[in-house]
Structures are given as C-alpha cells and as structure tokens.
Amino acid sequence: MSIQNLNTYDPFADAIKSSEDDVQDGLVHVRIQQRNGRKTLTTIQGLSSEYDLKKIVRACKKEFACNGTVVEHPEYGEVLQLQGDQRENICQWLTKSGLVKPEQLKVHGF
Amino acid sequence: MEEDMVFDPSLKKKKKKKTGFDIEAALAGETKTTDAPVETGDVDVPEDDSLDLDNFGKKKKKKKTFFNLEELESALPESKDKKPPAEEPEQQEEEIMDDLDLDIDFTRTKKKKKKRNLDEIVAEEDVKTEDQEKGDDLQDDWFGSDRDYTYDELLERVFDIMREKNPSMVSGKKQKFIMRPPQVVRIGTKKTSFANFTEICKTLHRQPKHLLDFLLAELGTSGSVDGNSQLIIKGRFQQKQIENVLRRYIKEYVTCHTCRSPDTILQKDTRLFFLQCETCGSRCSVASIKSGFQAVTGKRAAMRAKTA
C-alpha cells in the first residue's frame, strides 16, 4: 500500500526537462539580400551550434530545390545561406521539424 | 438629416471630401444619422446646440443627446447610486484597449492633406451616432418609469458621461494611425528612391538617421539621403515592400508597447534606446538596430582588391 503524500517528487523535473528540450535559445534571424538582377539570397543566423548545420543545409537544399551553404562568421557563428527567397519555406520547415519555435523566428527584409 | 443641416457650418469642409477612402464608414455614419431618432422632444435642444458649439468648437458635433440625458438625470429624483456602475468600467476599458487596434493605414490616394482629419472625424461620427442611438434608447426607457435600471443601461450611461467629460477619450476609442504612403520610385535599374522619407520621419517624430538605419538594416542594403532629402537605396524595391518595413518600424519603435499610442518619444540613455509614451507614461527599452550577418553579394575579386 502506498501513501500518496510520501511519494518522491522531483520539483525540478519540469525545469530540467525543458532545458534539455530547448537546445535553441535566442532568436533565429531570417534575412533576405538582393543580388544582381532579381536574384536573392536568404541567410539564417542564430541557429544553435548544437545542431548540425551541414545536415540541415543538406535537407533544405533537397526540400526547397536550391543550393545552399554554411558560412562561418567570427561574430555570428555558423550562418546558413540559401539561394533565392526561401524565407517562408525555411520558417515553415524549421518549425515543422521542431528545431525552432515559431516565436523564436524573426524574419527581416521586405 | 435635419441635424446635419443644423451643424453643417462647423464641419462642412470635411464632409465634402469624404468620397474616396472610407466609403463604408461614411455610409454607415450617414445612414445612422438619418435613422437616428430626432424626436428627443426636449425643449432644451437649441440651448444645447449653442452650448456645444461654444464649448467644444467644431469637433463635437453630436453632443446633444448627452446633454439632454444628463439634464434629465439630474432632474430625475432617483439618480442615487452612481457607485456600482463606476466599478465596472475598468473591465470594459480593457476591452477597449484591446480593440484599440492601431491599424496603420497607408492609404494610397494622392490627396492626403485632408485625409487624416477626415478619417478621424468619420470615425468619431460613427462612434457618436451609435452613442446617440443608445442614449436615446436609454432615455426613452428611463423616462417617466419607476423601474430599476438594468446593468447594461447603467454601464452605458457611465460611458456616455465619461466620453462627454473628456472628449479625447472618444477619439481614443478607435484610434487610427494614418500616414501618407511612402513614395517609392525606381531610379535606373539598380537604385530605388524613397521620395518623402524626411516627411515620414517628421510624421513619426523620429530622427531620420534612426529610420535610415532601420531601413537599411532590414533591407540588407546600403543607401543615403541625397540633396533634396530623398532616400536613395541600393537595390530594387517596391512601395509595398517599403510599406511592410515601415510598418514593422512603427510597430517596434513608434507605437507604445503598452497602450499602442503613437504619441511616443524615443530617447537614448546609456547606449540603450528607450521608448517613452506620452499618453500612458510607460517607458520601455527597444531593441537596438542590428544589421546582423551580411553575406557577400558583390564581386569577391573587387572586395579583395579593396582590402588588400
């Protein structure tokens, strides 16, 4: 027979769990840059370094049918670059895959 | 209609212009005025008119019923408990605050000079006509009967009185922040001109430099203000795109984050920007403008030549 009151209960269970879940902290900035002509470039800055950006870019390239690369920047860390205006695509993809929460996404540009 | 005739001199020049932009509102306003019962049957009406014009000038057009209502109530013997309704308004006020959606209108027509006033007035008219109708209802319900007031009636009454006492609240109820649309013109193939940049800065009460920083950071390009105070941005942009960016700027750096009033001051304090609201007095810090990562889009060879 168990006494409910004496059950062990970890008061920090929630906190630990959520901190483990959230690898991504801080905002992810999605920007667009104009290139020559009507060509554009999408940059995704601020993805957590815990993630393997090379894998992400590989998946994105396939998904959006565009080229892309990972650029190392001294201040901003690893930044993802994708060809074309992929802002909506990448936002949807990041939230759908659960890498980033929608409120952590910040889209810049026009 | 009769009312309109009576009050026309005060705002006829506004009324005339009303055609282009807000037809729905205007229509609604007009139909309501026509429908609104004119049979208030009070002797005080003319008096009130004069009162109106004297006190409130041209803005207050349809105050008549409120005055009547008030006088009536003061005349009524059982205007006893004002306390209970006075407690409630807070809830509703909050709702109103929520309603107070700052829709930022970049209306597209050319004749903008008059528009700002106009829209406000139209909105106000709407509000007022509604109130008038309600006021009339109330009056009719209460007048000459001994029955208790219902909660809704009392609430309505308190709000009527409140609006009457401080007219600024009426316009604050449905606030619209209207500004002229940005004039964006392409120069050649690679540059864009934002012709009324300085003017927009003035309407927003912001330093041109701040807005410039924001625009350039958001668009990820470079640009500068030229001799005739227009902004030249590198790259092709359309008016719609600039509007979007401006909207974001207004949301972030112009409207108060608490009460959404556009009446704010942006001050720099120890390297941080603070947004001070003139309406509600709140003060909060806003994010500094960062352009973030910029990819290399130009010719790499040229860049290397420049640095080396």
Side-chain angles (χ1 to χ4, degrees):
Chain A
M1 163 171 133
S2 69
I3 304 167
Q4 218 169 11
N5 283 349
L6 295 182
N7 277 350
T8 50
Y9 165 70
D10 183 6
F12 300 109
D14 284 353
I16 291 166
K17 196 178 152 225
S18 67
S19 71
E20 276 173 356
D21 258 1
D22 273 353
V23 184
Q24 176 65 42
D25 51 347
L27 288 172
V28 174
H29 298 272
V30 179
R31 293 199 177 79
I32 189 165
Q33 265 181 283
Q34 288 195 339
R35 286 179 55 223
N36 42 358
R38 49 176 298 180
K39 294 180 180 167
T40 49
L41 190 69
T42 313
T43 64
I44 298 105
Q45 172 206 323
L47 281 170
S48 168
S49 51
E50 306 273 308
Y51 296 145
D52 188 347
L53 270 95
K54 287 212 178 101
K55 273 190 182 161
I56 293 179
V57 90
R58 215 172 292 147
C60 287
K61 281 161 73 167
K62 194 149 199 176
E63 180 84 13
F64 314 145
C66 67
N67 207 349
T69 181
V70 180
V71 182
E72 186 69 38
H73 191 274
E75 190 182 342
Y76 303 117
E78 287 185 316
V79 180
L80 228 119
Q81 279 186 19
L82 295 170
Q83 287 181 2
D85 184 359
Q86 312 289 350
R87 286 176 299 168
E88 278 185 21
N89 290 336
I90 193 75
C91 288
Q92 273 171 10
W93 189 83
L94 284 175
T95 47
K96 208 175 72 193
S97 60
L99 294 176
V100 180
K101 292 202 198 76
E103 63 266 19
Q104 287 172 325
L105 278 170
K106 190 156 170 60
V107 183
H108 299 264
F110 32 83
Chain B
M1 267 331 347
E2 181 204 79
E3 293 168 358
D4 281 324
M5 299 301 276
V6 171
F7 288 99
D8 232 359
S10 54
L11 74 150
K12 66 180 169 199
K13 65 168 183 234
K14 309 272 161 73
K15 269 246 160 140
K16 290 280 150 61
K17 285 277 157 56
K18 165 154 78 165
T19 46
F21 41 97
D22 211 346
I23 300 175
E24 285 176 326
L27 277 180
E30 259 163 9
T31 45
K32 262 170 203 160
T33 41
T34 44
D35 286 348
V38 201
E39 22 82 287
T40 36
D42 265 38
V43 207
D44 314 319
V45 175
E47 262 184 54
D48 289 333
D49 288 359
S50 58
L51 241 179
D52 253 357
L53 296 173
D54 291 344
N55 286 349
F56 294 97
K58 56 175 179 172
K59 263 185 87 179
K60 304 284 98 186
K61 174 185 154 203
K62 277 167 192 163
K63 265 305 151 73
K64 171 164 72 173
T65 41
F66 303 152
F67 278 93
N68 285 346
L69 197 75
E70 258 248 309
E71 280 168 29
L72 241 177
E73 274 155 12
S74 56
L76 278 176
E78 67 270 20
S79 59
K80 42 188 173 172
D81 46 357
K82 285 206 171 155
K83 283 282 163 56
E87 288 168 13
E88 308 311 322
E90 282 162 34
Q91 289 180 358
Q92 276 236 342
E93 223 162 351
E94 275 168 15
E95 283 175 21
I96 287 174
M97 285 309 212
D98 287 343
D99 284 354
L100 191 145
D101 252 348
L102 260 179
D103 13 3
I104 300 147
D105 255 358
F106 292 100
T107 21
R108 246 149 267 240
T109 39
K110 278 284 148 62
K111 32 147 198 183
K112 300 135 197 159
K113 278 279 159 52
K114 292 272 159 58
K115 199 178 308 160
R116 179 164 197 145
N117 303 337
L118 256 178
D119 267 12
E120 278 173 11
I121 288 209
V122 168
E124 258 180 19
E125 268 178 73
D126 276 355
V127 169
K128 245 163 257 169
T129 40
E130 279 167 30
D131 287 347
Q132 190 186 23
E133 280 184 328
K134 281 173 192 163
D136 282 349
D137 286 351
L138 289 191
Q139 207 174 15
D140 291 340
D141 285 350
W142 281 345
F143 191 64
S145 73
D146 256 356
R147 68 181 182 79
D148 283 344
Y149 310 134
T150 65
Y151 171 75
D152 289 330
E153 285 169 344
L154 284 174
L155 199 65
E156 203 54 52
R157 200 186 118 195
V158 161
F159 268 90
D160 285 349
I161 294 171
M162 257 164 39
R163 283 191 204 109
E164 177 201 325
K165 296 283 188 217
N166 37 355
S168 62
M169 243 189 64
V170 180
S171 54
K173 191 183 172 189
K174 180 96 166 81
Q175 199 162 7
K176 267 197 166 182
F177 186 65
I178 292 153
M179 57 182 287
R180 303 176 70 170
Q183 288 167 353
V184 178
V185 188
R186 268 263 289 288
I187 306 176
T189 48
K190 288 191 169 172
K191 285 183 197 160
T192 311
S193 149
F194 182 172
N196 54 356
F197 171 70
T198 346
E199 193 185 326
I200 282 183
C201 288
K202 267 186 199 131
T203 48
L204 297 177
H205 304 292
R206 289 289 172 271
Q207 295 288 328
K209 188 179 173 298
H210 191 253
L211 181 55
L212 176 88
D213 283 349
F214 181 84
L215 279 176
L216 295 185
E218 277 296 290
L219 298 173
T221 54
S222 54
S224 58
V225 181
D226 81 345
N228 16 340
S229 78
Q230 59 177 2
L231 174 63
I232 310 288
I233 316 169
K234 202 177 148 211
R236 304 176 177 197
F237 298 100
Q238 282 155 0
Q239 183 183 332
K240 223 193 283 169
Q241 300 172 320
I242 301 287
E243 269 178 29
N244 269 334
V245 182
L246 264 180
R247 229 175 237 127
R248 237 180 290 150
Y249 178 82
I250 290 166
K251 200 173 159 224
E252 179 74 29
Y253 295 101
V254 179
T255 57
C256 170
H257 293 209
T258 314
C259 69
R260 285 187 245 172
S261 137
D263 189 15
T264 55
I265 298 174
L266 191 71
Q267 7 175 245
K268 197 168 189 178
D269 199 358
T270 59
R271 282 185 288 179
L272 290 173
F273 276 110
F274 283 94
L275 197 66
Q276 173 107 39
C277 179
E278 294 286 276
T279 315
C280 70
S282 86
R283 181 178 152 89
C284 58
S285 67
V286 287
S288 59
I289 297 168
K290 274 195 216 121
S291 58
F293 173 78
Q294 291 297 315
V296 184
T297 48
K299 291 232 164 64
R300 282 166 203 267
M303 266 187 57
R304 228 171 287 142
K306 213 182 267 176
T307 49

